[in-house]
């Protein structure tokens, strides 16, 4: 499709004033579709969930030093309570372990050897699924979209920073 070609509009040919709304809805649709597909595949192939995958991923990046529960919470943008429950289940499955620390109030966790092996298999599958889902974009289109989304992220951060009471 050429850049000038009109995109289908389910909002009934809304005027240009609705451009931002249409863009947001398309972003949301794409994100939701990818997330639901990946979630289903994680359940089907690994008996896992996306939050479990995300926590294992964060711990994989952290390496042997692991992360505090607060660090995991901030990285995943979820509450400490959610991370605690998730960590308990991952520990019960033998995928993570608690590290001894000087301060008993601060719990550090890291992947076990079994967790590293399990996450490596999940990560390979995850990468393949994402590549497959986005295979309809050429390399140039993917690069353009990445650049535009980076620009969008900067715009969002600037707009949020400028809003009063933030």
């Amino acid at each position: 499709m050429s850049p000038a070609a009109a995109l289908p509009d389910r909002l009934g040919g809304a005027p240009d004033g609705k451009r931002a709304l249409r863009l947001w809805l398309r972003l949301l649709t794409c994100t939701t579709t990818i997330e639901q597909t990946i979630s289903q595949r994680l359940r089907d192939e690994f008996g896992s969930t996306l939050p479990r995958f995300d926590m294992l991923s964060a711990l994989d990046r952290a390496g042997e030093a692991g992360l505090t529960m607060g660090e995991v919470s901030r990285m995943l943008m979820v509450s400490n309570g959610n991370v605690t429950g998730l960590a308990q289940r991952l520990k019960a499955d033998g995928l993570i372990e608690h590290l001894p620390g000087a301060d008993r109030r601060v719990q550090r966790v890291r992947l076990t050897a079994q967790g590293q092996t399990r996450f490596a298999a999940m990560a390979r599958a995850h990468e393949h699924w994402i590549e497959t889902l986005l295979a309809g974009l050429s390399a140039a289109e993917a690069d353009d979209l990445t650049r535009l989304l980076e620009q969008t992220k900067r715009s969002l951060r600037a707009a949020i920073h400028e809003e009063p009471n933030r």
Side-chain angles (χ1 to χ4, degrees):
M1 173 186 319
S2 73
L7 294 172
D9 185 355
R10 291 187 179 187
L11 296 177
D16 285 346
K18 301 286 186 179
R19 180 177 285 124
L21 179 59
R22 285 194 309 266
L23 173 59
W24 176 74
L25 290 171
R26 284 197 174 95
L27 288 169
L28 183 60
T29 299
C30 290
T31 300
T32 301
T33 300
I34 292 169
E35 185 174 341
Q36 288 174 347
T37 301
I38 297 300
S39 290
Q40 186 63 52
R41 290 178 181 180
L42 284 169
R43 275 191 303 279
D44 292 348
E45 295 192 29
F46 295 98
S48 190
T49 65
L50 194 52
R52 285 172 61 100
F53 175 83
D54 290 342
M55 184 162 178
L56 294 173
S57 178
L59 292 172
D60 182 68
R61 288 188 309 272
E64 288 297 312
L67 295 169
T68 67
M69 299 298 273
E71 289 168 335
V72 173
S73 176
R74 282 187 297 280
M75 289 175 79
L76 301 184
M77 296 184 281
V78 298
S79 72
N80 287 338
N82 286 345
V83 169
T84 300
L86 190 54
Q88 289 170 345
R89 291 185 297 278
L90 289 169
K91 184 177 180 186
D93 291 343
L95 301 178
I96 69 169
E97 62 188 352
H98 284 91
L99 297 171
D103 187 344
R104 305 184 106 204
R105 295 170 296 174
V106 178
Q107 295 183 16
R108 289 189 81 78
V109 291
R110 71 175 172 201
L111 293 178
T112 62
Q114 179 184 351
Q116 291 170 1
T117 300
R118 182 78 169 157
F119 175 71
M122 293 170 75
R124 281 190 302 275
H126 179 271
E127 183 176 359
H128 173 74
W129 299 331
I130 296 295
E131 287 173 357
T132 301
L133 290 170
L134 299 177
L137 296 174
S138 70
E141 289 168 333
D143 290 345
D144 287 346
L145 184 55
T146 299
R147 181 183 49 76
L148 289 169
L149 289 172
E150 270 302 317
Q151 187 176 339
T152 303
K153 186 166 67 171
R154 285 191 303 274
S155 174
L156 290 169
R157 287 183 175 157
I160 291 168
H161 180 69
E162 292 172 5
E163 288 180 18
N165 302 322
R166 286 273 177 189

